[in-house]
Amino acid sequence: AVDESMATGESMPVAKTAGDDVIGATINQDGLLKVEATRVGRDTFLAQVVRMVEQAQSTKVPIQALADRITGVFVPVIIAVALATLAAWLIVPGVMRPLVEAGSFLPWVLADLGVATLAVTSMVAVFVIACPCALGLATPTALMVSSGIGAEHGILIRSGEAVQTLKDVRVIVFDKTGTLTQGAPQVTDVVCAAGWSERDLLAAAASAERGSEHALARAIVARAEAAGAAAGEPRGFEAVRGRGIRATVGGRSVLVGTRELMAEGGVDVGPLAERMGALEHEAKTAMLVAVDGAPAGVIAVADTMKADSADAIKALHALGLKTAMLTGDNARTAEAIAGQAGIDHVVAGVLPDGKTAEIRRLQAEHGRVAFVGDGINDAPALTAADVGIAIGTGTDIAIEAADVTLVRGELSGVVEAVNLSRATIRNIKQNLFWAFFYNVVMIPLAVIGWMHPVLAEIAMATSSITVVGNANRLRRVDIRPPYRRRS
């Protein structure tokens, strides 16, 4: 039984028999595994994943900061205006002199200066007023405050481009195993046959399973310990490949496994068949338990959803975003989890290249796409998406491929990242507006000689302080989703 979740997203261990393919770096959980290396070096699964990540990175175009584009036009225009001011004062002083004299009632307007002095003073005032300090501070100051707020909420942002892009995302795509779900099987249901209590059933099953290293066995033992069901030491333990286990506990014969194992042991599971079928319909792995040839109950195990997954998806929908899930797990399990979480679109049974192809399709159909994942198999999709969001409890390669990392591993961080992005870009736009508004008002006054260079310096510094102060207003924004605020 091999844990392939890091590579394929399959949440449950996969049984391997002679002739089956296994993936390097996946984990053998139960039994002796003898393999032949058929792909080495550049042909291995991990090498292919790295190659796909590199290809995706090379095709990703970074977004140029809005302030840089504006400043690229603004600076030449201001130089032209300043030179035109100097020329106007020197060439047509008769036109300019009445304009400055009209403001002679203001104490700082030097209307009695000579034409040449006024020409130079006005030109300098234009340069000082238009010094693009506020424009230069508008974006990086807001991004600096934003990154600090993100860190306080467990959101690590690698670049400002990610913040800008996340605002425009239309679809959030999730991996399943370890992202929407816990990433490890847990007992979800305990169904007892007549004459059995839950504690006794768990004690019998856990005692038998203590001889196994299988993930399902560990889940049963963990549930028994949590319930305070004392588990004994098994004797005569035997693992039956693909069907379950046999053991002797306290002198009693215990079987835990499939219908086939029960049939081999002559156990009639008819009274439990309907309930077991219902559990399997919910995409849970249901295991029958029999003691001394009689059915004792059913224990269902599944990779359960994280506590906040459904609430986070609901909050994303409230923000006007669509959601999707891409997983290497089987379709039945994927549909069950998607139904519980409220996911809009599901694609199951896909390997890393399939996830990347689906990301491309969603980008063509909807626009910008963010992908949330945690495994090695998610790295290409994290890089191909416009914004890659890695779960901090996941693999190093996923974190390295992502633009944003959620340290806590909770999906509420995705909602907070979107809210933070929108608030940050809104703040940047406010900064740019005030920087431009100040220039639009002040530059004409400087041109006609109403703005003394010293006053221009004060006004220029004031505009920078205004931008920095506005950026710090971001700290007052509550980026938590509604269900977090209630708690």
Side-chain angles (χ1 to χ4, degrees), residues 7-8 19-25 35-49 51-52 351-353:
T8 67
D20 287 345
D21 289 333
V22 292
I23 300 172
V35 300
E36 176 188 359
T38 58
R39 297 181 185 179
V40 296
R42 292 181 55 83
D43 296 327
T44 61
F45 174 83
L46 183 58
Q48 292 174 27
V49 170
R51 193 154 53 246
M52 283 187 283
L351 292 177
D353 54 346

Side-chain angles (χ1 to χ4, degrees), residues 446-458:
V447 169
I448 64 175
W450 281 31
M451 188 60 63
H452 191 281
V454 173
L455 189 62
E457 291 173 6
I458 296 173

Side-chain angles (χ1 to χ4, degrees), residues 58-84:
S58 65
T59 59
K60 194 172 185 179
V61 180
I63 299 175
Q64 187 177 5
L66 177 61
D68 290 342
R69 296 199 300 268
I70 294 172
T71 305
V73 175
F74 179 75
V75 171
V77 168
I78 291 303
I79 292 174
V81 170
L83 294 176

Side-chain angles (χ1 to χ4, degrees), residues 34 173 206 226 256 321-322 352 358 388 406 475 484 487:
K34 183 177 181 180
V173 184
V256 183
L321 300 172
K322 295 183 180 296
E358 183 64 18
L406 307 181
R475 299 184 186 279
R484 286 289 189 193
S487 61

Side-chain angles (χ1 to χ4, degrees), residues 10-197:
E10 175 70 49
S11 54
M12 294 297 175
V14 179
K16 298 293 183 179
T17 59
D20 287 345
D21 289 333
V22 292
I23 300 172
T26 56
I27 302 170
N28 180 28
Q29 297 231 321
D30 189 40
L32 177 65
L33 186 64
K34 183 177 181 180
V35 300
E36 176 188 359
T38 58
R39 297 181 185 179
V40 296
R42 292 181 55 83
D43 296 327
T44 61
F45 174 83
L46 183 58
Q48 292 174 27
V49 170
V50 171
R51 193 154 53 246
M52 283 187 283
V53 170
E54 291 173 344
Q55 290 171 353
Q57 286 176 332
S58 65
T59 59
K60 194 172 185 179
V61 180
I63 299 175
Q64 187 177 5
L66 177 61
D68 290 342
R69 296 199 300 268
I70 294 172
T71 305
V73 175
F74 179 75
V75 171
V77 168
I78 291 303
I79 292 174
V81 170
L83 294 176
T85 299
L86 177 66
W89 274 101
L90 295 176
I91 297 172
V92 286
V95 175
M96 303 301 291
R97 173 66 73 176
L99 295 176
V100 70
E101 290 176 349
S104 59
F105 65 92
L106 297 173
W108 59 81
V109 175
L110 306 177
D112 56 342
L113 294 177
V115 171
T117 303
L118 278 171
V120 174
T121 300
S122 298
M123 179 184 69
V124 170
V126 170
F127 276 129
V128 172
I129 284 289
C131 177
C133 293
L135 287 175
L137 289 169
T139 298
T141 306
L143 290 176
M144 181 179 66
V145 175
S146 174
S147 63
I149 295 171
E152 291 174 2
H153 287 77
I155 304 167
L156 303 183
I157 303 170
R158 178 169 293 182
S159 66
E161 287 83 2
V163 177
Q164 295 178 21
T165 307
L166 191 56
K167 175 188 74 71
D168 298 320
V169 160
R170 294 291 171 263
V171 182
I172 307 283
V173 184
F174 295 89
D175 171 50
K176 182 185 76 67
T177 305
T179 302
L180 286 168
T181 67
Q182 300 287 351
Q186 297 179 341
V187 173
T188 59
D189 301 87
V190 179
V191 180
C192 301
W196 283 86
S197 67

